[in-house]
Amino acid sequence: MKKKSLYNEKLLELWKNPKDFGKLENPTHEYSEANTICGDEMFVYLRVENEIVKDAKFFSTGCLICIVFASKLIEMIKGMGMEEVYELKDEDLLKLLDINLTPLKMKCACLSLDAVQNCLKKGKIKS
Ligand code: FES
């Protein structure tokens, strides 16, 4: 089956109204990761209880591809265990939206996964 083009109507709609966009109240973890190619940043906020991601939000100055994949990823990880999130691979994320990506855009798409995994590893907020 033919993959969808880079910017279709559904993607534009998700980009204009991403889910879970903004800052989470009372996060247990927060972290920001920069795309080393363009410099755009991804901020991730997580609330983790008993090793489960109970809630999550993100904010980013990145491009459409970065935003739409982050929106899908954040939606997916809510309710997942930390170990499950660590085990996610770029391919798991890319499967969430079946679109053609150039190598440069792959980096944009996967920025959120790097940010989420590093947030769990390094972003615990000291209370
Ligand atoms: Fe910067 Fe895509 S161009 S995140």
Side-chain angles (χ1 to χ4, degrees):
M1 200 161 102
K2 198 175 163 219
K3 286 198 171 196
K4 294 169 197 150
S5 70
L6 203 53
Y7 303 111
N8 61 40
E9 228 169 83
K10 211 168 135 197
L11 285 186
L12 288 171
E13 189 51 43
L14 185 56
W15 174 59
K16 281 187 216 153
N17 298 296
K19 289 184 186 150
D20 306 305
F21 191 82
K23 196 169 178 184
L24 188 67
E25 289 204 12
N26 305 318
T28 56
H29 295 65
E30 63 182 17
Y31 193 76
S32 70
E33 182 98 23
N35 183 331
T36 50
I37 295 172
C38 65
D40 287 329
E41 283 193 277
M42 170 71 59
F43 299 85
V44 171
Y45 309 95
L46 305 174
R47 184 157 56 249
V48 178
E49 293 168 20
N50 300 321
E51 311 252 310
I52 305 284
V53 178
K54 292 286 188 182
D55 207 356
K57 282 194 170 194
F58 77 100
F59 173 80
S60 181
T61 54
C63 64
L64 178 148
I65 291 299
C66 166
I67 301 287
V68 296
F69 275 97
S71 178
K72 287 296 209 182
L73 176 69
I74 295 291
E75 189 181 7
M76 182 173 78
I77 63 167
K78 285 198 255 178
M80 285 177 76
M82 288 174 67
E83 286 305 318
E84 283 180 282
V85 176
Y86 286 140
E87 284 169 14
L88 288 173
K89 305 271 181 274
D90 289 351
E91 304 81 65
D92 300 316
L93 176 59
L94 297 172
K95 270 190 241 160
L96 297 176
L97 289 164
D98 185 30
I99 50 176
N100 284 318
L101 294 172
T102 63
L104 279 181
K105 286 295 172 191
M106 293 274 270
K107 186 90 181 156
C108 303
C110 297
L111 180 62
S112 56
L113 183 57
D114 291 342
V116 162
Q117 289 175 331
N118 281 328
C119 186
L120 287 171
K121 280 182 201 146
K122 308 177 197 171
K124 188 160 189 202
I125 298 168
K126 292 177 180 73
S127 49

